[in-house]
Amino acid sequence: MTILNTISLESNKQIKINFNGGDLSSDGGMLLIKEFASKIGLTKLVKQLFKTNDHTDCRIHKDPDNLMQMVYQIIAAYFEDNCADELTNDPVLTAILDKDILASQPTLSRFWNRMDEDTLSQLAMLQSKMRDVVYSIKMPEFMLFDPDSTLLNTYGDQEGEGFNFHYQAHGYHPLLCYDGLTGDLLKSELRDGTQYCSKDADQFMIPLMQEYRMKYPSLPLYLRGDSGFASPGLYKACEENDCKYAIRLKLNSTLIKYASDADEALYRATRENQVDYAVEYGEFEYQAGSWPHPRRVVFKIEKPYNQMIHLYTFIVTTMESAPYQVIQFYCGRGKMENFIKEGKSGFDFSSVSSRSKVVNANRLQVHALAYNLFNWFRRLVLPASMRKQRIDTVRLKLLKIAAKAVHSARYIIFKLCSSCPYKKEFYETLSNIRRLQPLLE
């Protein structure tokens, strides 16, 4: 039979092909993700905390296993439920899930449809507890909240989808809050597509601020946001929770009037030289009509190179730094656009194809969990040379490694590709995982 199944290439008769290579997988590096997830207690915590409102007790594929299967699939770039049918007998994925076969697409679809508000709360609790574990390994010096919103495309008449004027497209308009230092996705909330970015932003941020204040009372908290988050409710929430903020204000004639002296100074300084770049910084106390009291506003007025116009930046802040330092601090939030791009392109945050909005909200949370698991993995255990690389690069170098499974009476031996150019990084990552000392419950 082997001879019959072997064929030769017409281009080179010395090359023969058959499908008798044994149990092979292209995802040998996922064994590292499994080892890391086990080391930081994620797999155990999922079994303790996660359970859908399912009245059937005789399912072969349990809820925690389905959740971890989806997390591993997302990290390995198998985003669609349909991918499960092609991975049913994958030796690496079945081994890391300790199952004979993976859950199929229909099983996963039923799993998604069982999700509701309770599972949303469970996933949020899971993320919070995992942050505690990660911080027990390496505590941040301060927390930098970077909230923003984005558009997730929809695929028809889905519950909650709508036309978003800013993006000029239909979809969902979720709120996201990242740690601006590490890229961790601290919180996400799926919202209707028609919602404005700052709508209920204070209610979104207050529980997160209170959580950090309660768990880490001495940890300095900072928040920065663009002009879409310039709302009195968010200012008040930050002030009441001892969170210093720098939020950009929308340009208006009143603000320009307050900065007129600096504007004139810049004009005088550049009157004889209209080519070079020039800038003026300043600050003033300002109270908008909807504000209960005045707040500090710092500004930057700049004349771009080889232009005769002035550009204005106004930041309302409770920080005590010099104006130019506050402006620099605010401009650092540009990194967050890379975090959002990473989540959408590398972890398919837009995989919100269910009819039900609450199911789609759960989908977003699961993809966020996969994103965070990889981000913790990258930050804590990857070799220093790989810690700034994006998910697609790490997948190519370290996760998509050919592996052959050899079964014996007691063991499963995975023989990884002999010509893999990143053996050293693989073993260094495994060694780093083993040296972790997380504080588990």
Side-chain angles (χ1 to χ4, degrees), residues 142-312:
F142 62 92
M143 180 51 55
L144 177 54
F145 298 125
D146 264 342
D148 205 351
S149 61
T150 188
L151 184 79
L152 302 183
N153 294 324
T154 48
Y155 308 91
D157 186 21
Q158 295 172 249
E159 183 182 2
E161 77 87 29
F163 181 78
N164 186 272
F165 181 79
H166 175 75
Y167 291 97
Q168 291 292 295
H170 280 261
Y172 289 115
H173 192 207
L175 268 177
L176 309 171
C177 182
Y178 289 88
D179 176 358
L181 297 179
T182 64
D184 290 351
L185 181 51
L186 304 176
K187 189 175 181 180
S188 57
E189 180 181 305
L190 193 70
R191 302 184 304 170
D192 292 353
T194 56
Q195 295 289 336
Y196 185 65
C197 53
S198 65
K199 174 70 173 176
D200 295 331
D202 53 335
Q203 301 304 315
F204 174 77
M205 289 301 306
I206 286 173
L208 194 58
M209 294 178 188
Q210 291 177 343
E211 175 187 336
Y212 275 84
R213 267 290 151 257
M214 180 181 67
K215 292 182 177 179
Y216 318 106
S218 61
L219 185 69
L221 303 183
Y222 295 89
L223 181 144
R224 58 190 177 188
D226 60 24
S227 59
F229 291 88
S231 69
L234 186 56
Y235 307 153
K236 181 180 178 182
C238 291
E239 291 161 0
E240 290 180 347
N241 290 280
D242 192 22
C243 177
K244 297 185 182 298
Y245 61 85
I247 301 175
R248 187 167 185 168
L249 295 174
K250 287 184 171 65
L251 188 64
N252 62 58
S253 58
T254 303
L255 294 173
I256 294 176
K257 182 178 178 180
Y258 272 89
S260 59
D261 290 345
D263 203 10
E264 292 175 5
L266 182 62
Y267 173 75
R268 290 193 299 269
T270 59
R271 185 163 44 192
E272 303 298 329
N273 182 355
Q274 294 290 325
V275 176
D276 293 341
Y277 175 85
V279 62
E280 288 281 341
Y281 293 95
E283 62 178 281
F284 53 83
E285 290 291 312
Y286 173 69
Q287 181 176 359
S290 58
W291 298 2
H293 57 82
R295 292 183 170 97
R296 183 190 185 206
V297 174
V298 303
F299 64 85
K300 177 177 73 169
I301 307 176
E302 55 187 328
K303 187 197 81 63
Y305 174 79
N306 207 25
Q307 296 187 39
M308 300 178 65
I309 62 173
H310 289 181
L311 302 179
Y312 304 86

Side-chain angles (χ1 to χ4, degrees), residues 343-380:
K344 294 175 72 173
S345 64
F347 295 87
D348 198 27
F349 281 8
S350 294
S351 182
V352 285
S353 56
S354 296
R355 175 67 179 86
S356 166
K357 181 183 174 182
V358 70
V359 172
N360 286 325
N362 277 276
R363 282 183 177 271
L364 177 59
Q365 295 301 320
V366 173
H367 284 251
L369 178 60
Y371 168 91
N372 279 333
L373 176 58
F374 175 78
N375 204 51
W376 300 326
F377 173 81
R378 172 170 50 196
R379 185 165 79 252
L380 297 176

Side-chain angles (χ1 to χ4, degrees), residues 100-123:
D100 295 329
I101 60 172
L102 299 185
S104 63
Q105 177 271 319
T107 298
L108 291 179
S109 294
R110 289 190 292 269
F111 167 67
W112 287 120
N113 290 331
R114 291 197 300 272
M115 290 194 174
D116 52 21
E117 295 291 344
D118 289 342
T119 52
L120 271 179
S121 299
Q122 293 169 22
L123 290 168

